[in-house]
Amino acid sequence: ETGVTQTPRHLVMGMTNKKSLKCEQHLGHNAMYWYKQSAKKPLELMFVYSLEERVENNSVPSRFSPECPNSSHLFLHLHTLQPEDSALYLCASSQGRTDTQYFGPGTRLTVL
Amino acid sequence: DQQVKQNSPSLSVQEGRISILNCDYTNSMFDYFLWYKKYPAEGPTFLISISSIKDKNEDGRFTVFLNKSAKHLSLHIVPSQPGDSAVYFCAASDNTDKLIFGTGTRLQVFP
């Protein structure tokens, strides 16, 4: 595997479910990011991790909980989501926090 | 208030012609700009970038122009190819880890 991978690619969940999105980067980068892309809206930065430490949380509701166990893996734990949380969730990584970000393919999430 | 704007949601260009995608920004602290390309069911792919100390950067068929006084940048693709059909996102950074994206422009290149 090369680049940035995300699993699952598609996820449908009910509002009471708990699920997790996984991101893995094979680029040796030190920073990882979660973005949300809703229809007809710009990509929104959700969380930033640098050297496994969360350095940014862009006022994201607590029903989204990130976890970065090491510099290659990033998770987004989901709990009691709302239908308006349905979106494409993209993971990205970069060498340093100001370097070019490389994106994974995204997880298309649908909340029923 | 959107700091990075792509006012054209779509653009249709004939193969072989020039495609020009535009992007405007409002924050004068932005000093680094990027273009990403996105195919359906894939994440954005980095295409080309430009630092605010330059006004032009070229990579093969892709050239990005930056007009700081107008807070405007554009991506030129010459010649356009059908494989260039995708959504193009402009992004800006103020030398932090925060990338601010535009809403994207869907480019369609037809034969």
Side-chain angles (χ1 to χ4, degrees):
Chain A
E1 290 270 29
T2 58
V4 181
T5 58
Q6 288 186 245
T7 54
R9 294 295 306 274
H10 299 271
L11 179 62
V12 179
M13 60 187 287
M15 290 191 284
T16 58
N17 291 157
K18 285 185 184 180
K19 296 285 184 183
S20 295
L21 309 184
K22 179 183 175 183
C23 174
E24 186 172 358
Q25 59 96 0
H26 310 268
L27 301 168
H29 289 168
N30 294 317
M32 296 186 78
Y33 313 80
W34 279 117
Y35 285 88
K36 175 183 178 182
Q37 186 178 22
S38 304
K40 298 183 181 177
K41 286 187 180 179
L43 280 165
E44 301 170 59
L45 180 65
M46 300 175 72
F47 300 104
V48 180
Y49 275 82
S50 178
L51 297 171
E52 299 148 47
E53 203 174 304
R54 190 193 309 183
V55 294
E56 183 111 15
N57 174 354
N58 267 9
S59 304
V60 179
S62 59
R63 56 186 185 268
F64 294 92
S65 173
E67 179 191 0
C68 187
N70 55 62
S71 59
S72 300
H73 293 86
L74 185 65
F75 294 89
L76 188 62
H77 304 298
L78 315 172
H79 177 49
T80 59
L81 296 192
Q82 304 297 313
E84 59 263 29
D85 296 322
S86 299
L88 180 69
Y89 289 84
L90 288 157
C91 173
S93 71
S94 63
Q95 179 57 44
R97 287 172 61 187
T98 57
D99 291 322
T100 300
Q101 294 178 23
Y102 294 86
F103 285 80
T107 295
R108 173 69 62 187
L109 174 68
T110 303
V111 182
L112 302 176
Chain B
D1 183 37
Q2 262 185 269
Q3 297 185 65
V4 177
K5 299 178 185 178
Q6 293 177 257
N7 292 317
S8 298
S10 63
L11 176 67
S12 191
V13 171
Q14 188 172 31
E15 181 178 5
R17 302 280 207 154
I18 183 171
S19 296
I20 300 177
L21 298 108
N22 293 304
C23 178
D24 297 292
Y25 62 95
T26 57
N27 188 343
S28 57
M29 297 301 292
F30 289 147
D31 60 2
Y32 189 61
F33 304 88
L34 307 91
W35 284 95
Y36 282 84
K37 174 180 177 180
K38 185 179 183 302
Y39 291 118
E42 294 184 18
T45 304
F46 169 71
L47 194 57
I48 192 169
S49 63
I50 188 167
S51 163
S52 60
I53 61 173
K54 293 186 171 184
D55 53 19
K56 177 182 173 182
N57 189 25
E58 193 171 349
D59 183 4
R61 296 186 296 114
F62 302 92
T63 303
V64 56
F65 294 92
L66 176 63
N67 182 335
K68 289 186 288 294
S69 60
K71 294 193 179 70
H72 176 84
L73 67 155
S74 60
L75 174 68
H76 292 213
I77 307 174
V78 182
S80 301
Q81 299 173 355
D84 296 328
S85 298
V87 178
Y88 289 79
F89 291 94
C90 166
S93 169
D94 57 2
N95 203 33
T96 66
D97 47 33
K98 194 170 288 188
L99 273 182
I100 309 297
F101 284 84
T103 51
T105 296
R106 182 176 300 279
L107 172 67
Q108 185 179 2
V109 180
F110 59 92

